[in-house]
Amino acid sequence: MKQIKSVTLILLFVLCSVIPPAWAQNDPLPSWNDGPSKSSITAFVKAVTDKSSPDYVQPSKRIAVFDNDGTLWSEQPAYFQAFFIFDRIREMAADHPEWKTQQPYQAALEGDMKALAASGKEGLIELVMTTHAGMTTDEFAEIVKKWLQTAKHPTLHKPYTQLVFKPMLELLDYLRANGFKTYIVSGGGIEFMRPWTEEVYGIPPEQVVGSSIVTKFELRDGKPVLVREPKLNFIDDKAGKPVGINQHIGRRPIFAFGNSDGDLQMLQYTTLAGGGKRFGGIVHHTDGAREFAYDRDSHMGRLDKALPEAEVHGWTVVDMKKEWKVIYP
Amino acid sequence: MKQIKSVTLILLFVLCSVIPPAWAQNDPLPSWNDGPSKSSITAFVKAVTDKSSPDYVQPSKRIAVFDNDGTLWSEQPAYFQAFFIFDRIREMAADHPEWKTQQPYQAALEGDMKALAASGKEGLIELVMTTHAGMTTDEFAEIVKKWLQTAKHPTLHKPYTQLVFKPMLELLDYLRANGFKTYIVSGGGIEFMRPWTEEVYGIPPEQVVGSSIVTKFELRDGKPVLVREPKLNFIDDKAGKPVGINQHIGRRPIFAFGNSDGDLQMLQYTTLAGGGKRFGGIVHHTDGAREFAYDRDSHMGRLDKALPEAEVHGWTVVDMKKEWKVIYP
């Protein structure tokens, strides 16, 4: 009897040695170095999910919003949506000789990233809108899906869906595991993102907010379609982001992550009102070796005004170089 | 031993007599009489949720959309949103003497339902928009909530949130229990519905699509707010419904329920494309005794064009009088 007890104890001891301790097993953010950003994220999530905490937030109100370009995937040397449109611009250029000397079309035709960047996010959105109209929404979704299967980044030579940030994928999973509903709120085209965000980020189409052109309902040979018209509907950038959030979600988020001045109003809207504990985060692109290093002077994703505001309001600024163990999956 | 067995059998028999049979216990639509509508609903849900069925639809694509006025709650003698605005119109009328002879304001001031109905859904939406601007979105939500606590229907003398259709509440629950995501897609104001749809229908704000006015982001004394401007943004009615669905949901629904010609394009968009099994339903107001009886000639919720189309496309037309055991909870 004594011997059996001893064997049981030894077995238990062996099992305990083999199984890693709970803290290592359960690290929800393994690609994040222990540091101020990881601590502030986990402290926030614990505070709003612990029922005994004064900061507890019921699950239905755990809304988290994320910018896309520069926050969930890279955005250099140009927004990836710009690369997507180059092929269509080239196809359509035969009917538009004036584009050879007209920006932003000239830049797109020549692949001139600097000139393209100079036209700003609005210029890019205009390019997308004017060149991507004339087909149905279903047809457009197919074009985007096909492009993603073959297209590669011009300098990193990888498919674009592999240029997403692994630490941010972990953060999305971590938040969802804690009852958050995760949304994208991007200046990019809503219909450009929706065909792939569920597979790549786990974010379904109905949780994607973005810029859009006008669509029109038609019956074509008795079949109902939505036709994309060459007319701007909404720009989901800067002061437009809180408007887009309210229009689509109808609740003030409690958690927002961005990387540029285009996200400033979204961060303000999320963190400076509504009561209770709130989280604002900024991805600071500090890693020129593994990704890109840019902030105040960048044409893409300029981070200037939001940086001093982050200090004033206690937003978490992620130093990519120091705080992320890896960048891409 | 034999005696014990007998006692056990008797006990089992007694238990079986006391517990109602499974089909009665599990009837998901107890307020629906057995009939063509109930059968077509349950047959559809079984077909798309049974993994061995050729019509199986994965849960993420089980999107169900519902009109609100006349489909989930009553809409006579006027859309309930019209009654909501009367108080504000009366308050503002002191500064607008011209309203005494100007429609639709005159009708609102005099409580003239017929004249109000004649101004159509667009007239009502205009009234809402022009009179409900100038405050923040948070302030407007509070106004709506307070109104619902005290306001009563002018002829039925009940709070509006009690004038919802019990059979439809059961249908919403039944669909959600079968993995559907339920949405409202209404011509009514999106911000008028969101403050109460979660409590009344179990539909959260982010699953409400409706008409809207323009909102503008502002920092007021450092606090971020969205100000409602007196400018129409979007009318979510008729051909606008598929546009609103695509804008907010980004997927074609597989299930749609409406009650008027304002829902025709939503029903077409849902059922006439996209492949696989699809469901279209229409609530036909046939019960003048328990609710209201109206269709082709009604100013509110006119059901004219959609009725013959229902026959052509095999949509389910619910005869309220025959098929609903009760109307209100």
Side-chain angles (χ1 to χ4, degrees):
Chain A
M1 193 68 178
K2 221 176 183 178
Q3 213 183 351
I4 294 174
K5 262 194 186 162
S6 299
V7 168
T8 310
L9 280 173
I10 288 165
L11 269 173
L12 274 172
F13 183 80
V14 168
L15 276 171
C16 288
S17 322
V18 170
I19 298 167
W23 60 263
Q25 208 181 7
N26 294 331
D27 181 2
L29 302 171
S31 299
W32 295 67
N33 285 315
D34 291 328
S37 295
K38 185 171 180 171
S39 301
S40 71
I41 290 168
T42 53
F44 175 82
V45 170
K46 272 169 198 159
V48 299
T49 56
D50 176 359
K51 279 191 178 173
S52 67
S53 156
D55 301 312
Y56 177 76
V57 175
Q58 61 188 83
S60 65
K61 291 184 178 170
R62 292 181 205 157
I63 303 288
V65 289
F66 289 82
D67 170 59
N68 184 41
D69 298 311
T71 300
L72 295 181
W73 71 358
S74 294
E75 62 181 349
Q76 299 288 357
Y79 300 121
F80 294 175
Q81 194 168 358
F83 299 122
F84 165 72
I85 65 175
F86 287 170
D87 288 345
R88 282 194 67 79
I89 289 283
R90 286 196 193 99
E91 275 178 52
M92 295 172 75
D95 298 328
H96 295 274
E98 73 278 10
W99 284 359
K100 279 177 189 160
T101 55
Q102 184 187 332
Q103 295 297 11
Y105 302 99
Q106 183 186 349
L109 286 170
E110 296 172 0
D112 182 347
M113 299 303 161
K114 211 172 166 184
L116 201 62
S119 77
K121 210 157 192 170
E122 280 78 7
L124 283 163
I125 289 169
E126 186 202 321
L127 259 187
V128 175
M129 301 314 173
T130 52
T131 59
H132 287 40
M135 75 287 283
T136 69
T137 51
D138 288 343
E139 288 164 353
F140 185 72
E142 283 308 309
I143 291 169
V144 173
K145 277 188 217 164
K146 277 182 190 160
W147 175 76
L148 277 178
Q149 285 166 9
T150 55
K152 288 192 176 174
H153 188 278
T155 62
L156 300 173
H157 309 295
K158 281 185 177 178
Y160 293 102
T161 50
Q162 287 181 23
L163 298 176
V164 295
F165 303 137
K166 189 162 187 283
M168 297 304 279
L169 296 181
E170 290 169 3
L171 176 55
L172 289 170
D173 282 338
Y174 173 53
L175 290 173
R176 287 190 291 254
N178 281 281
F180 280 78
K181 212 163 175 177
T182 54
Y183 284 82
I184 288 173
V185 179
S186 167
I190 190 167
E191 304 269 14
F192 172 74
M193 296 182 283
R194 281 173 163 168
W196 52 271
T197 54
E198 188 154 32
E199 196 184 321
V200 174
Y201 299 134
I203 297 177
E206 60 267 32
Q207 285 162 227
V208 177
V209 181
S211 299
S212 58
I213 57 176
V214 169
T215 60
K216 195 183 164 196
F217 177 81
E218 271 182 28
L219 282 177
R220 285 186 173 174
D221 299 326
K223 291 287 167 200
V225 295
L226 290 169
V227 180
R228 293 167 60 78
E229 301 205 315
K231 193 181 163 192
L232 205 59
N233 179 56
F234 181 64
I235 294 189
D236 188 52
D237 196 30
K238 299 188 176 73
K241 289 206 174 190
V243 172
I245 287 169
N246 184 62
Q247 183 70 16
H248 284 256
I249 310 176
R251 299 192 211 252
R252 195 184 293 261
I254 64 166
F255 186 106
F257 232 110
N259 80 298
S260 77
D261 287 353
D263 305 312
L264 178 57
Q265 289 85 352
M266 174 171 85
L267 287 161
Q268 291 170 334
Y269 184 68
T270 301
T271 63
L272 305 185
K277 214 172 170 68
R278 275 140 197 289
F279 184 94
I282 291 175
V283 174
H284 192 187
H285 292 263
T286 51
D287 197 327
R290 294 185 301 172
E291 203 240 0
F292 303 95
Y294 60 98
D295 48 32
R296 290 201 153 80
D297 303 319
S298 178
H299 291 295
M300 298 283 160
R302 178 173 299 180
L303 178 61
D304 181 20
K305 291 176 197 165
L307 218 40
E309 282 224 23
E311 212 169 309
V312 172
H313 303 306
W315 298 336
T316 295
V317 179
V318 180
D319 185 329
M320 280 178 73
K321 191 175 176 179
K322 282 188 192 161
E323 302 198 82
W324 284 1
K325 284 180 194 163
V326 294
I327 306 290
Y328 301 123
Chain B
M1 193 69 178
K2 221 176 184 179
Q3 212 186 350
I4 293 173
K5 261 191 186 163
S6 298
V7 169
T8 309
L9 280 171
I10 289 165
L11 268 173
L12 274 171
F13 182 80
V14 168
L15 275 171
C16 288
S17 321
V18 169
I19 298 168
W23 59 264
Q25 208 181 8
N26 294 330
D27 182 0
L29 302 171
S31 299
W32 294 67
N33 284 315
D34 292 328
S37 295
K38 186 171 179 170
S39 301
S40 71
I41 290 169
T42 53
F44 175 82
V45 170
K46 272 169 196 158
V48 299
T49 56
D50 177 359
K51 279 192 178 173
S52 67
S53 157
D55 300 312
Y56 178 75
V57 175
Q58 61 186 84
S60 65
K61 290 183 177 170
R62 291 180 205 159
I63 303 288
V65 289
F66 289 82
D67 170 57
N68 184 40
D69 298 312
T71 301
L72 295 181
W73 72 358
S74 294
E75 61 181 350
Q76 298 288 358
Y79 300 121
F80 293 176
Q81 193 168 358
F83 299 120
F84 165 72
I85 66 174
F86 287 170
D87 288 343
R88 281 193 68 79
I89 289 282
R90 286 195 193 98
E91 276 179 49
M92 295 172 75
D95 299 328
H96 295 273
E98 74 278 10
W99 284 359
K100 279 177 189 160
T101 55
Q102 185 188 333
Q103 295 296 13
Y105 302 99
Q106 183 187 348
L109 285 170
E110 296 172 359
D112 182 346
M113 299 302 161
K114 210 172 168 185
L116 200 63
S119 77
K121 211 160 192 168
E122 281 77 9
L124 282 164
I125 289 169
E126 186 202 321
L127 260 187
V128 176
M129 300 316 173
T130 53
T131 60
H132 288 39
M135 74 287 282
T136 68
T137 51
D138 288 343
E139 287 163 353
F140 185 72
E142 282 310 308
I143 291 169
V144 174
K145 278 187 218 167
K146 276 181 190 161
W147 175 77
L148 279 178
Q149 284 164 10
T150 55
K152 287 190 176 172
H153 189 277
T155 63
L156 300 173
H157 310 295
K158 281 186 179 180
Y160 293 101
T161 50
Q162 287 180 25
L163 298 175
V164 296
F165 303 136
K166 189 162 187 284
M168 296 305 278
L169 296 181
E170 291 169 4
L171 176 55
L172 289 170
D173 281 339
Y174 174 53
L175 290 173
R176 286 190 290 254
N178 280 281
F180 281 77
K181 212 163 176 176
T182 53
Y183 284 82
I184 288 173
V185 178
S186 167
I190 189 168
E191 305 269 13
F192 172 74
M193 296 182 282
R194 281 173 164 169
W196 53 272
T197 54
E198 187 153 32
E199 197 184 322
V200 175
Y201 299 134
I203 296 178
E206 60 266 32
Q207 283 161 229
V208 178
V209 182
S211 299
S212 59
I213 56 175
V214 169
T215 60
K216 194 184 164 196
F217 176 81
E218 270 182 29
L219 282 176
R220 286 187 172 173
D221 300 325
K223 291 289 167 196
V225 296
L226 289 169
V227 179
R228 292 166 60 79
E229 301 204 317
K231 194 182 163 191
L232 206 60
N233 179 55
F234 181 65
I235 294 189
D236 188 53
D237 195 31
K238 299 186 175 75
K241 288 206 174 190
V243 172
I245 287 170
N246 184 62
Q247 183 70 15
H248 284 256
I249 310 176
R251 302 192 209 251
R252 196 185 293 260
I254 63 166
F255 186 106
F257 232 110
N259 78 298
S260 78
D261 287 355
D263 305 312
L264 178 56
Q265 290 84 352
M266 176 171 84
L267 287 161
Q268 292 171 332
Y269 184 67
T270 300
T271 63
L272 305 185
K277 212 172 173 68
R278 275 140 198 290
F279 183 94
I282 291 175
V283 175
H284 192 187
H285 292 262
T286 51
D287 197 328
R290 295 185 301 172
E291 203 239 3
F292 304 94
Y294 60 98
D295 47 32
R296 288 203 156 78
D297 302 318
S298 178
H299 290 295
M300 298 283 159
R302 176 173 300 180
L303 177 62
D304 181 21
K305 292 178 196 166
L307 218 40
E309 283 225 21
E311 209 170 312
V312 173
H313 303 306
W315 298 335
T316 295
V317 179
V318 180
D319 186 330
M320 281 178 74
K321 193 175 176 179
K322 284 189 193 159
E323 302 199 82
W324 285 0
K325 286 181 193 162
V326 294
I327 306 289
Y328 302 123

